[in-house]
Amino acid sequence: MKGISYTLEAVIAVSFLLLSLVFFFKPFNVQDSSEYNYKKITYDSLKALSEGGKLRQYTLNNDATSIKNDLTTYISFLDYDVVIYNKTSNLTAIPTISDDDVISVSYFLAGEAGNYSAKEVRVFVWGFD
Amino acid sequence: MFLIGAFIIAASLIVLKLNMKAPSIEEQLRLIDATMENSIASNLMTEIENSAKFSVDQKTSINNDVFDFANFTERKAGEHGLEFLFLFVGSYANVSNSYLNVSVINMLNGPISVTLNLNDGSSAQTNDMIDNTKWDTNFTFTPGTNYNLTVSYNSTYTQNVTIKTKNNKDIYVSFFDITLQTSNAVYTNKTQDTYKLK
């Protein structure tokens, strides 16, 4: 009888310990901040393209298509489009987006050596559900 | 015995877990917002300096291009919640006529009284230079001589700009004092660059 009670006690104690360990090692519940993270990823992609020298040339030529193609290397997992603006208006077509969740990221450029030209490259991103 | 020991260990683990904090969503978003702000500020600051650098082939339009991009920066910074404050001094030493043309741009959100002192004793001054304007003035200089231009405004700000002129080449010296700020952070940059012109 004593042996059975000790065994039962041990089983309950071990179960209790195991439950507390499960609770201890359960990961924290963190809400989704993906939109903000995608902003950062998109910005870093534009910066990488700029540091590689291509973004400036494409922007000077109002070549949003080449920018969009080159960004595939970095953000192919998202839906996105690129628009180039000057000081007053868009120089390339603004996309029609049916998704409600859209973010935009801007990168500014003053032209290139020998050719001053104030422009903004804006990337619209959606489809991150 | 087992139960008591297990209870003590379990209670310790639970208390420890409850005192550990996960990064809250607000903290994550604040960190990302701050990182994005920093990135945008850095981008704009780099490009406003580039507006002078990319214009040096057209000597007469450098100051206007900088002014143009400064206005562009102010608008774009505002769209991203950043306040833009800007003081610029551009000095063009023209050896053909020995004129040192100096332009000052005020975008400090208020009028300023500006004094320029060249270390050869000459000076120029403008009172109540209104916000978002450019002031142009001239000094004479001796090609091949080094100068120190002291820029001051409102008796509270002084900055020295070094101008090393050449005997046989025009030079351009740009000085930028840029601030981009939000309620949480201030990003500042002061730089001086010298360009030999063709």
Side-chain angles (χ1 to χ4, degrees):
Chain A
M1 196 61 191
K2 255 193 179 173
I4 292 172
S5 70
Y6 278 144
T7 307
L8 200 60
E9 194 183 335
V11 167
I12 292 170
V14 167
S15 304
F16 198 47
L17 266 176
L18 282 173
L19 274 172
S20 62
L21 281 170
V22 165
F23 172 75
F24 184 78
F25 287 109
K26 186 180 164 197
F28 288 108
N29 216 5
V30 179
Q31 289 178 38
D32 185 29
S33 60
S34 56
E35 286 187 23
Y36 283 79
N37 287 322
Y38 290 139
K39 267 197 170 180
K40 187 73 177 73
I41 291 167
T42 306
Y43 180 87
D44 288 344
S45 306
L46 284 168
K47 190 174 177 197
L49 214 56
S50 173
E51 287 168 353
K54 288 182 174 181
L55 186 66
R56 227 171 264 286
Q57 188 61 45
Y58 291 153
T59 305
L60 213 56
N61 295 331
N62 297 331
D63 188 358
T65 305
S66 292
I67 297 173
K68 184 176 176 181
N69 290 340
D70 280 17
L71 283 175
T72 307
T73 310
Y74 307 97
I75 53 174
S76 58
F77 51 93
L78 298 169
D79 295 322
Y80 66 96
D81 208 340
V82 176
V83 183
I84 297 173
Y85 295 80
N86 63 8
K87 291 176 292 184
T88 52
S89 62
N90 58 297
L91 299 169
T92 61
I94 298 173
T96 306
I97 306 167
S98 54
D99 202 313
D100 285 338
D101 283 332
V102 184
I103 59 170
S104 69
V105 176
S106 295
Y107 200 87
F108 306 102
L109 296 158
E112 62 173 8
N115 205 337
Y116 166 73
S117 177
K119 287 192 185 168
E120 174 189 357
V121 176
R122 200 180 297 177
V123 182
F124 295 90
V125 184
W126 65 95
F128 33 71
D129 287 330
Chain B
M1 269 314 269
F2 294 135
L3 271 176
I4 293 169
F7 178 76
I8 291 169
I9 293 169
S12 306
L13 286 172
I14 291 167
V15 165
L16 191 62
K17 174 76 174 190
L18 290 174
N19 282 321
M20 286 165 69
K21 285 182 183 171
S24 69
I25 187 66
E26 291 81 17
E27 282 171 36
Q28 285 186 58
L29 297 182
R30 251 199 304 275
L31 182 61
I32 294 172
D33 273 344
T35 307
M36 285 303 302
E37 256 176 31
N38 189 23
S39 299
I40 292 166
S42 173
N43 175 205
L44 287 169
M45 283 181 174
T46 300
E47 292 305 307
I48 202 170
E49 287 175 49
N50 280 338
S51 66
K53 184 176 170 184
F54 295 161
S55 304
V56 293
D57 285 351
Q58 294 91 38
K59 312 175 194 185
T60 54
S61 65
I62 303 174
N63 298 327
N64 288 335
D65 288 346
V66 171
F67 197 14
D68 185 67
F69 199 84
N71 276 292
F72 177 75
T73 299
E74 185 177 49
R75 197 165 64 252
K76 293 300 171 184
E79 288 172 10
H80 290 84
L82 289 158
E83 185 187 5
F84 174 67
L85 300 170
F86 181 59
L87 178 75
F88 171 79
V89 180
S91 309
Y92 168 35
N94 185 340
V95 295
S96 64
N97 58 16
S98 297
Y99 271 126
L100 179 67
N101 306 305
V102 180
S103 291
V104 178
I105 295 173
N106 168 27
M107 294 181 75
L108 296 168
N109 282 348
I112 55 173
S113 296
V114 183
T115 304
L116 301 173
N117 288 302
L118 211 53
N119 61 327
D120 66 355
S122 51
S123 66
Q125 187 175 355
T126 182
N127 294 320
D128 296 325
M129 181 184 177
I130 61 173
D131 182 45
N132 207 345
T133 58
K134 181 166 66 75
W135 169 50
D136 298 309
T137 189
N138 290 305
F139 299 90
T140 54
F141 77 100
T142 305
T145 304
N146 293 342
Y147 291 89
N148 189 52
L149 177 71
T150 303
V151 182
S152 51
Y153 73 80
N154 292 358
S155 307
T156 57
Y157 178 101
T158 301
Q159 178 66 42
N160 291 321
V161 178
T162 305
I163 302 169
K164 294 180 180 176
T165 69
K166 302 287 178 195
N167 276 319
N168 53 2
K169 229 175 191 15
D170 293 351
I171 62 122
Y172 181 87
V173 178
S174 63
F175 168 71
F176 294 88
D177 187 339
I178 310 166
T179 299
L180 285 156
Q181 61 190 18
T182 65
S183 53
N184 299 317
V186 180
Y187 309 94
T188 63
N189 191 28
K190 278 189 195 179
T191 53
Q192 178 178 325
D193 295 298
T194 300
Y195 302 98
K196 289 180 197 167
L197 306 180
K198 290 175 190 169

